[in-house]
């Protein structure tokens, strides 16, 4: 415990986190059965689990593992409603990578 | 009149209410030194887990500042309700920590029955005190509040970063700010740049810690200084730094050649340029 961190990423960071658990905040663009397209500074394919309750157009937080094809296998998802500031969320991702001493192990 | 003198304990010798005054004064005096350290600090959980004791048994510090009262946000991962307290495991993506909220027996019905019941995966904001027990950190929560607007999470992460940068790199340069005016001037693009320091001095100062800059500005502004210099005790009391911090700041300035020792090792004056 304590070392379990899930770095905040956007689409462009996925490459650097293959096989790791990450946290993504984005907008649900499409829902297709157990798959969703989430926009977090670029479209990301998310493979959902059964507990996922997403709505198209809403914000979503996905915590999941980065697959070799840069899709995400979701572990948990959280519907964030319609009031999410995505520019802010993307800025926080940038800031978190500029200051790893505050955010990442 | 009587109220004022009791409140501030200035006239403890007065007969009426003497007991009240002195006891109040005592408790105020004891807590006063701790008061400055009890500033509420926005943090990430990683920062909490990373902060260390400067020496065994010392107070925990983060970015060089003592830390006890903290506020942070996170998602509740587990809830463990006991009869006297509830322990939440909270995760903000940077780490996980246990948060213990003692149950107030008088308000138990409010907390249990209202729609403020906290279930796993809820985002919460926590205000609490950082404590260590058996080398394991946890938070004694004063308040655990459900976050209704997700953007608060991101605002908080930016605020935590801002405070971190403020403490490690100093604040933004604001000319005209009282007291810190010279800091702003030395910083660069103000119109008062040629206040007597050349660009070399400014460059060196920019690399110094905020405390060192405070000490330098005090020395530069102090008319008593002159060739005799100012003793570290006087600097400390005038800049509101601790003796230790003032000494460290002075040594930092000495190593940059910005000040020099005069009467003894702890009396300094600004190097004239």
């Amino acid at each position: 415990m304590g070392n379990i961190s899930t770095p905040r990423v956007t689409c462009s960071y996925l490459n650097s986190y293959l096989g790791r658990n990450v946290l993504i905040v984005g907008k649900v663009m499409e829902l297709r059965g157990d798959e969703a397209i989430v926009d977090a500074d670029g479209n990301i394919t998310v493979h959902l689990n059964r507990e996922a309750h997403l709505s198209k157009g809403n914000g979503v937080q996905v915590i999941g593992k980065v697959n070799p094809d840069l899709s995400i296998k979701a572990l948990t998802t959280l519907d964030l409603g319609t009031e999410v500031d995505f520019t802010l969320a993307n800025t926080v991702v940038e800031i978190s990578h500029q200051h790893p001493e505050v955010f990442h192990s | 009149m009587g109220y004022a003198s009791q409140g501030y304990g200035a006239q403890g010798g007065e007969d009426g209410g003497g007991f009240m005054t002195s006891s109040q004064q005592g408790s105020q005096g004891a807590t006063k030194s701790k008061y400055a350290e009890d500033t509420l600090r926005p943090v990430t959980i990683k920062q909490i887990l990373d902060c260390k004791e400067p020496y065994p048994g010392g107070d925990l510090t983060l970015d060089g500042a003592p830390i006890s009262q903290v506020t942070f946000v996170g998602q509740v991962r587990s809830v463990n309700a006991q009869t006297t307290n509830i322990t939440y495991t909270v995760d903000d993506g940077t780490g996980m920590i246990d948060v213990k909220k003692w149950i107030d027996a008088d308000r138990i019905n409010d907390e249990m029955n209202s729609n403020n019941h906290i279930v796993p995966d809820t985002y919460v904001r926590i205000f609490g005190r950082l404590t260590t027990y058996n080398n394991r950190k946890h938070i004694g929560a004063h308040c655990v509040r459900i976050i209704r607007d997700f953007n608060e999470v991101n605002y908080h992460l930016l605020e935590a970063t801002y405070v971190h940068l403020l403490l490690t790199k100093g604040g933004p340069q604001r000319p005209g700010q009282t007291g810190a005016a010279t800091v702003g001037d030395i910083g660069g693009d103000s119109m008062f740049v040629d206040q007597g320091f050349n660009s070399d001095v400014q460059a060196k100062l920019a690399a110094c810690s905020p405390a060192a800059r405070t000490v330098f500005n005090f020395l530069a502004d102090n008319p008593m200084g002159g060739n005799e210099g100012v003793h570290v005790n006087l600097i400390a009391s005038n800049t509101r730094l601790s003796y230790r911090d003032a000494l460290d700041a002075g040594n930092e300035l000495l190593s940059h050649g910005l000040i020099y020792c005069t009467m003894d090792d702890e009396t300094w004056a600004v190097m004239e340029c």
Side-chain angles (χ1 to χ4, degrees), chain A residues 2 6 8 61 63 78 80 83 85 88-89 99 101-104, chain B residues 44 46 49 75 77 92-94 123 150-151 154-155 157 161 164-165:
Chain A
T6 48
R8 287 160 196 278
Q61 172 186 282
I63 295 176
L78 179 70
L80 301 177
E83 302 293 310
D85 183 339
L88 169 67
H99 303 286
E101 69 277 18
V102 182
F103 291 92
H104 307 148
Chain B
T44 64
K46 174 180 189 289
L49 298 173
Q75 248 183 313
R77 289 294 173 221
D92 70 350
T94 72
Y123 258 108
F150 175 76
N151 293 321
N154 283 328
Y155 296 148
L157 295 173
T161 313
H164 161 74
L165 291 175

PDB file of all heavy atoms in Angstrom, chain A residues 2 6 8 61 63 78 80 83 85 88-89 99 101-104, chain B residues 44 46 49 75 77 92-94 123 150-151 154-155 157 161 164-165:
ATOM      1  N   GLY A   2       0.354   2.285  -0.605  1.00  0.00           N
ATOM      2  CA  GLY A   2       1.093   3.538  -0.613  1.00  0.00           C
ATOM      3  C   GLY A   2       1.816   3.730  -1.933  1.00  0.00           C
ATOM      4  O   GLY A   2       1.882   4.817  -2.451  1.00  0.00           O
ATOM      5  N   THR A   6      -1.645   5.670  -9.773  1.00  0.00           N
ATOM      6  CA  THR A   6      -2.152   5.588 -11.138  1.00  0.00           C
ATOM      7  C   THR A   6      -1.924   6.949 -11.775  1.00  0.00           C
ATOM      8  O   THR A   6      -2.688   7.875 -11.537  1.00  0.00           O
ATOM      9  CB  THR A   6      -3.653   5.250 -11.141  1.00  0.00           C
ATOM     10  OG1 THR A   6      -4.329   6.105 -10.220  1.00  0.00           O
ATOM     11  CG2 THR A   6      -3.890   3.822 -10.745  1.00  0.00           C
ATOM     12  N   ARG A   8      -1.900  10.227 -13.953  1.00  0.00           N
ATOM     13  CA  ARG A   8      -2.920  10.863 -14.783  1.00  0.00           C
ATOM     14  C   ARG A   8      -2.348  11.038 -16.180  1.00  0.00           C
ATOM     15  O   ARG A   8      -1.272  11.605 -16.324  1.00  0.00           O
ATOM     16  CB  ARG A   8      -3.271  12.231 -14.212  1.00  0.00           C
ATOM     17  CG  ARG A   8      -4.081  12.134 -12.979  1.00  0.00           C
ATOM     18  CD  ARG A   8      -4.058  13.363 -12.124  1.00  0.00           C
ATOM     19  NE  ARG A   8      -4.565  12.958 -10.812  1.00  0.00           N
ATOM     20  CZ  ARG A   8      -5.847  12.859 -10.531  1.00  0.00           C
ATOM     21  NH1 ARG A   8      -6.752  13.236 -11.400  1.00  0.00           N
ATOM     22  NH2 ARG A   8      -6.233  12.428  -9.347  1.00  0.00           N
ATOM     23  N   GLN A  61     -14.210   9.174 -15.627  1.00  0.00           N
ATOM     24  CA  GLN A  61     -12.866   8.869 -15.144  1.00  0.00           C
ATOM     25  C   GLN A  61     -12.668   7.373 -15.293  1.00  0.00           C
ATOM     26  O   GLN A  61     -13.463   6.581 -14.788  1.00  0.00           O
ATOM     27  CB  GLN A  61     -12.697   9.275 -13.685  1.00  0.00           C
ATOM     28  CG  GLN A  61     -11.367   8.778 -13.104  1.00  0.00           C
ATOM     29  CD  GLN A  61     -11.244   9.034 -11.617  1.00  0.00           C
ATOM     30  OE1 GLN A  61     -10.963  10.140 -11.197  1.00  0.00           O
ATOM     31  NE2 GLN A  61     -11.473   7.990 -10.836  1.00  0.00           N
ATOM     32  N   ILE A  63      -9.986   4.251 -14.690  1.00  0.00           N
ATOM     33  CA  ILE A  63      -8.718   3.738 -14.186  1.00  0.00           C
ATOM     34  C   ILE A  63      -8.559   2.360 -14.800  1.00  0.00           C
ATOM     35  O   ILE A  63      -9.463   1.513 -14.702  1.00  0.00           O
ATOM     36  CB  ILE A  63      -8.700   3.671 -12.652  1.00  0.00           C
ATOM     37  CG1 ILE A  63      -8.798   5.086 -12.074  1.00  0.00           C
ATOM     38  CG2 ILE A  63      -7.417   2.997 -12.166  1.00  0.00           C
ATOM     39  CD1 ILE A  63      -8.874   5.138 -10.569  1.00  0.00           C
ATOM     40  N   LEU A  78     -15.948   5.888 -13.525  1.00  0.00           N
ATOM     41  CA  LEU A  78     -16.809   6.754 -12.722  1.00  0.00           C
ATOM     42  C   LEU A  78     -17.426   7.797 -13.637  1.00  0.00           C
ATOM     43  O   LEU A  78     -16.697   8.540 -14.310  1.00  0.00           O
ATOM     44  CB  LEU A  78     -15.976   7.421 -11.617  1.00  0.00           C
ATOM     45  CG  LEU A  78     -16.701   8.376 -10.681  1.00  0.00           C
ATOM     46  CD1 LEU A  78     -17.655   7.599  -9.773  1.00  0.00           C
ATOM     47  CD2 LEU A  78     -15.706   9.152  -9.830  1.00  0.00           C
ATOM     48  N   LEU A  80     -18.834  11.233 -14.497  1.00  0.00           N
ATOM     49  CA  LEU A  80     -18.554  12.530 -13.879  1.00  0.00           C
ATOM     50  C   LEU A  80     -19.601  13.579 -14.231  1.00  0.00           C
ATOM     51  O   LEU A  80     -19.442  14.754 -13.910  1.00  0.00           O
ATOM     52  CB  LEU A  80     -17.168  13.031 -14.306  1.00  0.00           C
ATOM     53  CG  LEU A  80     -15.987  12.120 -13.968  1.00  0.00           C
ATOM     54  CD1 LEU A  80     -14.699  12.710 -14.522  1.00  0.00           C
ATOM     55  CD2 LEU A  80     -15.857  11.925 -12.472  1.00  0.00           C
ATOM     56  N   GLU A  83     -20.676  18.473 -16.260  1.00  0.00           N
ATOM     57  CA  GLU A  83     -20.060  19.762 -15.928  1.00  0.00           C
ATOM     58  C   GLU A  83     -18.543  19.723 -15.876  1.00  0.00           C
ATOM     59  O   GLU A  83     -17.923  20.584 -15.264  1.00  0.00           O
ATOM     60  CB  GLU A  83     -20.592  20.261 -14.577  1.00  0.00           C
ATOM     61  CG  GLU A  83     -22.091  20.421 -14.513  1.00  0.00           C
ATOM     62  CD  GLU A  83     -22.576  21.543 -15.415  1.00  0.00           C
ATOM     63  OE1 GLU A  83     -22.019  22.644 -15.326  1.00  0.00           O
ATOM     64  OE2 GLU A  83     -23.492  21.306 -16.219  1.00  0.00           O
ATOM     65  N   ASP A  85     -14.775  20.253 -16.771  1.00  0.00           N
ATOM     66  CA  ASP A  85     -13.931  21.143 -17.565  1.00  0.00           C
ATOM     67  C   ASP A  85     -12.768  20.311 -18.121  1.00  0.00           C
ATOM     68  O   ASP A  85     -11.817  20.010 -17.410  1.00  0.00           O
ATOM     69  CB  ASP A  85     -13.426  22.280 -16.663  1.00  0.00           C
ATOM     70  CG  ASP A  85     -12.592  23.306 -17.416  1.00  0.00           C
ATOM     71  OD1 ASP A  85     -12.069  22.962 -18.504  1.00  0.00           O
ATOM     72  OD2 ASP A  85     -12.459  24.430 -16.921  1.00  0.00           O
ATOM     73  N   LEU A  88      -9.285  21.943 -18.273  1.00  0.00           N
ATOM     74  CA  LEU A  88      -8.666  21.904 -16.947  1.00  0.00           C
ATOM     75  C   LEU A  88      -8.059  20.529 -16.685  1.00  0.00           C
ATOM     76  O   LEU A  88      -6.907  20.417 -16.256  1.00  0.00           O
ATOM     77  CB  LEU A  88      -9.733  22.225 -15.882  1.00  0.00           C
ATOM     78  CG  LEU A  88      -9.358  21.988 -14.429  1.00  0.00           C
ATOM     79  CD1 LEU A  88      -8.283  22.958 -13.982  1.00  0.00           C
ATOM     80  CD2 LEU A  88     -10.593  22.127 -13.535  1.00  0.00           C
ATOM     81  N   ALA A  89      -8.826  19.476 -16.988  1.00  0.00           N
ATOM     82  CA  ALA A  89      -8.342  18.120 -16.729  1.00  0.00           C
ATOM     83  C   ALA A  89      -7.062  17.843 -17.521  1.00  0.00           C
ATOM     84  O   ALA A  89      -6.107  17.274 -16.992  1.00  0.00           O
ATOM     85  CB  ALA A  89      -9.427  17.108 -17.093  1.00  0.00           C
ATOM     86  N   HIS A  99       5.744  18.054 -12.773  1.00  0.00           N
ATOM     87  CA  HIS A  99       6.136  18.043 -11.362  1.00  0.00           C
ATOM     88  C   HIS A  99       5.930  16.666 -10.758  1.00  0.00           C
ATOM     89  O   HIS A  99       5.060  16.475  -9.907  1.00  0.00           O
ATOM     90  CB  HIS A  99       5.351  19.096 -10.581  1.00  0.00           C
ATOM     91  CG  HIS A  99       5.521  20.480 -11.136  1.00  0.00           C
ATOM     92  ND1 HIS A  99       6.678  21.190 -10.972  1.00  0.00           N
ATOM     93  CD2 HIS A  99       4.706  21.243 -11.890  1.00  0.00           C
ATOM     94  CE1 HIS A  99       6.567  22.352 -11.595  1.00  0.00           C
ATOM     95  NE2 HIS A  99       5.371  22.421 -12.163  1.00  0.00           N
ATOM     96  N   GLU A 101       7.459  15.176  -8.584  1.00  0.00           N
ATOM     97  CA  GLU A 101       7.670  15.112  -7.133  1.00  0.00           C
ATOM     98  C   GLU A 101       6.359  15.293  -6.363  1.00  0.00           C
ATOM     99  O   GLU A 101       6.262  14.908  -5.203  1.00  0.00           O
ATOM    100  CB  GLU A 101       8.717  16.140  -6.691  1.00  0.00           C
ATOM    101  CG  GLU A 101       8.311  17.619  -6.784  1.00  0.00           C
ATOM    102  CD  GLU A 101       8.498  18.215  -8.182  1.00  0.00           C
ATOM    103  OE1 GLU A 101       8.603  17.459  -9.160  1.00  0.00           O
ATOM    104  OE2 GLU A 101       8.516  19.463  -8.284  1.00  0.00           O
ATOM    105  N   VAL A 102       5.363  15.894  -7.015  1.00  0.00           N
ATOM    106  CA  VAL A 102       4.075  16.076  -6.345  1.00  0.00           C
ATOM    107  C   VAL A 102       3.120  14.924  -6.670  1.00  0.00           C
ATOM    108  O   VAL A 102       2.236  14.594  -5.880  1.00  0.00           O
ATOM    109  CB  VAL A 102       3.435  17.420  -6.770  1.00  0.00           C
ATOM    110  CG1 VAL A 102       2.126  17.662  -6.045  1.00  0.00           C
ATOM    111  CG2 VAL A 102       4.395  18.572  -6.508  1.00  0.00           C
ATOM    112  N   PHE A 103       3.315  14.286  -7.844  1.00  0.00           N
ATOM    113  CA  PHE A 103       2.289  13.378  -8.326  1.00  0.00           C
ATOM    114  C   PHE A 103       2.673  11.907  -8.466  1.00  0.00           C
ATOM    115  O   PHE A 103       1.873  11.041  -8.162  1.00  0.00           O
ATOM    116  CB  PHE A 103       1.781  13.868  -9.690  1.00  0.00           C
ATOM    117  CG  PHE A 103       0.995  15.132  -9.603  1.00  0.00           C
ATOM    118  CD1 PHE A 103       1.605  16.362  -9.743  1.00  0.00           C
ATOM    119  CD2 PHE A 103      -0.365  15.087  -9.354  1.00  0.00           C
ATOM    120  CE1 PHE A 103       0.871  17.535  -9.661  1.00  0.00           C
ATOM    121  CE2 PHE A 103      -1.098  16.254  -9.275  1.00  0.00           C
ATOM    122  CZ  PHE A 103      -0.479  17.477  -9.422  1.00  0.00           C
ATOM    123  N   HIS A 104       3.874  11.627  -8.952  1.00  0.00           N
ATOM    124  CA  HIS A 104       4.180  10.230  -9.297  1.00  0.00           C
ATOM    125  C   HIS A 104       5.326   9.685  -8.465  1.00  0.00           C
ATOM    126  O   HIS A 104       6.249  10.412  -8.128  1.00  0.00           O
ATOM    127  CB  HIS A 104       4.590  10.098 -10.766  1.00  0.00           C
ATOM    128  CG  HIS A 104       3.605  10.695 -11.699  1.00  0.00           C
ATOM    129  ND1 HIS A 104       3.963  11.263 -12.863  1.00  0.00           N
ATOM    130  CD2 HIS A 104       2.256  10.817 -11.615  1.00  0.00           C
ATOM    131  CE1 HIS A 104       2.889  11.716 -13.483  1.00  0.00           C
ATOM    132  NE2 HIS A 104       1.848  11.467 -12.736  1.00  0.00           N
TER     133      HIS A 104
ATOM    134  N   THR B  44      -1.053  16.465  -2.096  1.00  0.00           N
ATOM    135  CA  THR B  44      -1.471  15.201  -2.696  1.00  0.00           C
ATOM    136  C   THR B  44      -1.088  14.097  -1.712  1.00  0.00           C
ATOM    137  O   THR B  44      -0.270  14.307  -0.825  1.00  0.00           O
ATOM    138  CB  THR B  44      -0.765  14.941  -4.038  1.00  0.00           C
ATOM    139  OG1 THR B  44       0.640  14.802  -3.784  1.00  0.00           O
ATOM    140  CG2 THR B  44      -0.985  16.064  -5.025  1.00  0.00           C
ATOM    141  N   LYS B  46       0.631  11.480  -2.326  1.00  0.00           N
ATOM    142  CA  LYS B  46       2.049  11.149  -2.487  1.00  0.00           C
ATOM    143  C   LYS B  46       2.913  12.040  -1.612  1.00  0.00           C
ATOM    144  O   LYS B  46       3.866  11.585  -0.987  1.00  0.00           O
ATOM    145  CB  LYS B  46       2.478  11.308  -3.944  1.00  0.00           C
ATOM    146  CG  LYS B  46       3.975  11.122  -4.101  1.00  0.00           C
ATOM    147  CD  LYS B  46       4.448  11.277  -5.510  1.00  0.00           C
ATOM    148  CE  LYS B  46       5.898  10.862  -5.646  1.00  0.00           C
ATOM    149  NZ  LYS B  46       6.833  11.785  -5.026  1.00  0.00           N
ATOM    150  N   LEU B  49       2.813  10.844   1.920  1.00  0.00           N
ATOM    151  CA  LEU B  49       3.585   9.617   2.124  1.00  0.00           C
ATOM    152  C   LEU B  49       5.083   9.894   2.052  1.00  0.00           C
ATOM    153  O   LEU B  49       5.880   9.216   2.695  1.00  0.00           O
ATOM    154  CB  LEU B  49       3.190   8.571   1.080  1.00  0.00           C
ATOM    155  CG  LEU B  49       1.724   8.120   1.138  1.00  0.00           C
ATOM    156  CD1 LEU B  49       1.401   7.222  -0.045  1.00  0.00           C
ATOM    157  CD2 LEU B  49       1.427   7.404   2.450  1.00  0.00           C
ATOM    158  N   GLN B  75     -10.581   9.501  -3.939  1.00  0.00           N
ATOM    159  CA  GLN B  75     -11.712   8.598  -4.046  1.00  0.00           C
ATOM    160  C   GLN B  75     -11.640   7.601  -2.898  1.00  0.00           C
ATOM    161  O   GLN B  75     -10.578   7.037  -2.627  1.00  0.00           O
ATOM    162  CB  GLN B  75     -11.626   7.844  -5.374  1.00  0.00           C
ATOM    163  CG  GLN B  75     -12.691   8.209  -6.359  1.00  0.00           C
ATOM    164  CD  GLN B  75     -12.592   7.379  -7.616  1.00  0.00           C
ATOM    165  OE1 GLN B  75     -11.516   7.211  -8.180  1.00  0.00           O
ATOM    166  NE2 GLN B  75     -13.720   6.858  -8.068  1.00  0.00           N
ATOM    167  N   ARG B  77     -11.778   4.210  -1.326  1.00  0.00           N
ATOM    168  CA  ARG B  77     -11.647   2.847  -1.849  1.00  0.00           C
ATOM    169  C   ARG B  77     -12.276   1.815  -0.920  1.00  0.00           C
ATOM    170  O   ARG B  77     -12.750   0.776  -1.356  1.00  0.00           O
ATOM    171  CB  ARG B  77     -10.166   2.506  -2.069  1.00  0.00           C
ATOM    172  CG  ARG B  77      -9.541   3.244  -3.218  1.00  0.00           C
ATOM    173  CD  ARG B  77     -10.138   2.838  -4.554  1.00  0.00           C
ATOM    174  NE  ARG B  77      -9.630   3.672  -5.635  1.00  0.00           N
ATOM    175  CZ  ARG B  77     -10.370   4.130  -6.620  1.00  0.00           C
ATOM    176  NH1 ARG B  77     -11.649   3.862  -6.670  1.00  0.00           N
ATOM    177  NH2 ARG B  77      -9.844   4.879  -7.547  1.00  0.00           N
ATOM    178  N   ASP B  92      -5.957   9.122  -4.464  1.00  0.00           N
ATOM    179  CA  ASP B  92      -6.107  10.265  -5.374  1.00  0.00           C
ATOM    180  C   ASP B  92      -5.296  10.083  -6.659  1.00  0.00           C
ATOM    181  O   ASP B  92      -5.044  11.029  -7.383  1.00  0.00           O
ATOM    182  CB  ASP B  92      -5.724  11.581  -4.675  1.00  0.00           C
ATOM    183  CG  ASP B  92      -4.234  11.688  -4.414  1.00  0.00           C
ATOM    184  OD1 ASP B  92      -3.530  10.677  -4.590  1.00  0.00           O
ATOM    185  OD2 ASP B  92      -3.780  12.779  -4.036  1.00  0.00           O
ATOM    186  N   GLY B  93      -4.895   8.838  -6.925  1.00  0.00           N
ATOM    187  CA  GLY B  93      -4.104   8.581  -8.130  1.00  0.00           C
ATOM    188  C   GLY B  93      -2.614   8.723  -7.896  1.00  0.00           C
ATOM    189  O   GLY B  93      -1.809   8.257  -8.688  1.00  0.00           O
ATOM    190  N   THR B  94      -2.226   9.407  -6.794  1.00  0.00           N
ATOM    191  CA  THR B  94      -0.803   9.563  -6.486  1.00  0.00           C
ATOM    192  C   THR B  94      -0.398   8.632  -5.351  1.00  0.00           C
ATOM    193  O   THR B  94       0.787   8.465  -5.074  1.00  0.00           O
ATOM    194  CB  THR B  94      -0.464  11.009  -6.087  1.00  0.00           C
ATOM    195  OG1 THR B  94      -1.009  11.268  -4.785  1.00  0.00           O
ATOM    196  CG2 THR B  94      -1.044  12.009  -7.069  1.00  0.00           C
ATOM    197  N   TYR B 123     -15.899  10.588  -4.478  1.00  0.00           N
ATOM    198  CA  TYR B 123     -14.817  11.564  -4.303  1.00  0.00           C
ATOM    199  C   TYR B 123     -15.107  12.410  -3.063  1.00  0.00           C
ATOM    200  O   TYR B 123     -16.229  12.898  -2.885  1.00  0.00           O
ATOM    201  CB  TYR B 123     -14.702  12.481  -5.526  1.00  0.00           C
ATOM    202  CG  TYR B 123     -13.562  12.096  -6.447  1.00  0.00           C
ATOM    203  CD1 TYR B 123     -13.801  11.507  -7.670  1.00  0.00           C
ATOM    204  CD2 TYR B 123     -12.242  12.321  -6.068  1.00  0.00           C
ATOM    205  CE1 TYR B 123     -12.757  11.149  -8.515  1.00  0.00           C
ATOM    206  CE2 TYR B 123     -11.194  11.971  -6.891  1.00  0.00           C
ATOM    207  CZ  TYR B 123     -11.445  11.385  -8.121  1.00  0.00           C
ATOM    208  OH  TYR B 123     -10.413  11.037  -8.935  1.00  0.00           O
ATOM    209  N   PHE B 150     -16.848  17.612  -9.781  1.00  0.00           N
ATOM    210  CA  PHE B 150     -15.588  16.918 -10.025  1.00  0.00           C
ATOM    211  C   PHE B 150     -14.428  17.877 -10.267  1.00  0.00           C
ATOM    212  O   PHE B 150     -13.275  17.564  -9.949  1.00  0.00           O
ATOM    213  CB  PHE B 150     -15.717  15.956 -11.210  1.00  0.00           C
ATOM    214  CG  PHE B 150     -14.422  15.313 -11.589  1.00  0.00           C
ATOM    215  CD1 PHE B 150     -13.899  14.279 -10.823  1.00  0.00           C
ATOM    216  CD2 PHE B 150     -13.703  15.743 -12.697  1.00  0.00           C
ATOM    217  CE1 PHE B 150     -12.694  13.688 -11.152  1.00  0.00           C
ATOM    218  CE2 PHE B 150     -12.483  15.153 -13.031  1.00  0.00           C
ATOM    219  CZ  PHE B 150     -11.988  14.124 -12.265  1.00  0.00           C
ATOM    220  N   ASN B 151     -14.696  19.054 -10.816  1.00  0.00           N
ATOM    221  CA  ASN B 151     -13.609  19.990 -11.110  1.00  0.00           C
ATOM    222  C   ASN B 151     -12.834  20.391  -9.862  1.00  0.00           C
ATOM    223  O   ASN B 151     -11.669  20.774  -9.941  1.00  0.00           O
ATOM    224  CB  ASN B 151     -14.159  21.235 -11.806  1.00  0.00           C
ATOM    225  CG  ASN B 151     -14.699  20.903 -13.188  1.00  0.00           C
ATOM    226  OD1 ASN B 151     -14.120  20.092 -13.899  1.00  0.00           O
ATOM    227  ND2 ASN B 151     -15.820  21.497 -13.544  1.00  0.00           N
ATOM    228  N   ASN B 154      -9.522  18.649  -9.689  1.00  0.00           N
ATOM    229  CA  ASN B 154      -8.447  19.228 -10.486  1.00  0.00           C
ATOM    230  C   ASN B 154      -7.968  20.562  -9.911  1.00  0.00           C
ATOM    231  O   ASN B 154      -6.774  20.837  -9.913  1.00  0.00           O
ATOM    232  CB  ASN B 154      -8.912  19.396 -11.937  1.00  0.00           C
ATOM    233  CG  ASN B 154      -8.896  18.064 -12.677  1.00  0.00           C
ATOM    234  OD1 ASN B 154      -8.055  17.208 -12.392  1.00  0.00           O
ATOM    235  ND2 ASN B 154      -9.824  17.885 -13.594  1.00  0.00           N
ATOM    236  N   TYR B 155      -8.902  21.370  -9.414  1.00  0.00           N
ATOM    237  CA  TYR B 155      -8.490  22.632  -8.783  1.00  0.00           C
ATOM    238  C   TYR B 155      -7.543  22.340  -7.643  1.00  0.00           C
ATOM    239  O   TYR B 155      -6.528  23.002  -7.453  1.00  0.00           O
ATOM    240  CB  TYR B 155      -9.706  23.395  -8.218  1.00  0.00           C
ATOM    241  CG  TYR B 155     -10.709  23.863  -9.240  1.00  0.00           C
ATOM    242  CD1 TYR B 155     -12.057  23.933  -8.926  1.00  0.00           C
ATOM    243  CD2 TYR B 155     -10.299  24.260 -10.506  1.00  0.00           C
ATOM    244  CE1 TYR B 155     -12.990  24.364  -9.846  1.00  0.00           C
ATOM    245  CE2 TYR B 155     -11.230  24.692 -11.439  1.00  0.00           C
ATOM    246  CZ  TYR B 155     -12.574  24.739 -11.103  1.00  0.00           C
ATOM    247  OH  TYR B 155     -13.498  25.160 -12.013  1.00  0.00           O
ATOM    248  N   LEU B 157      -5.560  19.749  -7.165  1.00  0.00           N
ATOM    249  CA  LEU B 157      -4.246  19.275  -7.598  1.00  0.00           C
ATOM    250  C   LEU B 157      -3.382  20.447  -8.048  1.00  0.00           C
ATOM    251  O   LEU B 157      -2.177  20.484  -7.781  1.00  0.00           O
ATOM    252  CB  LEU B 157      -4.408  18.252  -8.725  1.00  0.00           C
ATOM    253  CG  LEU B 157      -5.121  16.962  -8.297  1.00  0.00           C
ATOM    254  CD1 LEU B 157      -5.394  16.080  -9.499  1.00  0.00           C
ATOM    255  CD2 LEU B 157      -4.319  16.209  -7.251  1.00  0.00           C
ATOM    256  N   THR B 161       0.116  21.839  -6.221  1.00  0.00           N
ATOM    257  CA  THR B 161       1.334  22.101  -6.992  1.00  0.00           C
ATOM    258  C   THR B 161       1.802  23.533  -6.769  1.00  0.00           C
ATOM    259  O   THR B 161       2.996  23.788  -6.594  1.00  0.00           O
ATOM    260  CB  THR B 161       1.074  21.882  -8.502  1.00  0.00           C
ATOM    261  OG1 THR B 161       0.383  20.651  -8.666  1.00  0.00           O
ATOM    262  CG2 THR B 161       2.371  21.843  -9.277  1.00  0.00           C
ATOM    263  N   HIS B 164       3.457  23.856  -3.438  1.00  0.00           N
ATOM    264  CA  HIS B 164       4.754  23.185  -3.508  1.00  0.00           C
ATOM    265  C   HIS B 164       5.788  24.089  -4.171  1.00  0.00           C
ATOM    266  O   HIS B 164       6.904  24.250  -3.675  1.00  0.00           O
ATOM    267  CB  HIS B 164       4.613  21.869  -4.277  1.00  0.00           C
ATOM    268  CG  HIS B 164       5.904  21.321  -4.791  1.00  0.00           C
ATOM    269  ND1 HIS B 164       6.832  20.723  -3.963  1.00  0.00           N
ATOM    270  CD2 HIS B 164       6.438  21.300  -6.043  1.00  0.00           C
ATOM    271  CE1 HIS B 164       7.885  20.354  -4.698  1.00  0.00           C
ATOM    272  NE2 HIS B 164       7.667  20.696  -5.949  1.00  0.00           N
ATOM    273  N   LEU B 165       5.410  24.698  -5.294  1.00  0.00           N
ATOM    274  CA  LEU B 165       6.340  25.571  -6.011  1.00  0.00           C
ATOM    275  C   LEU B 165       6.635  26.837  -5.217  1.00  0.00           C
ATOM    276  O   LEU B 165       7.755  27.333  -5.208  1.00  0.00           O
ATOM    277  CB  LEU B 165       5.766  25.937  -7.389  1.00  0.00           C
ATOM    278  CG  LEU B 165       5.691  24.777  -8.374  1.00  0.00           C
ATOM    279  CD1 LEU B 165       5.000  25.206  -9.655  1.00  0.00           C
ATOM    280  CD2 LEU B 165       7.080  24.244  -8.681  1.00  0.00           C
TER     281      LEU B 165
END
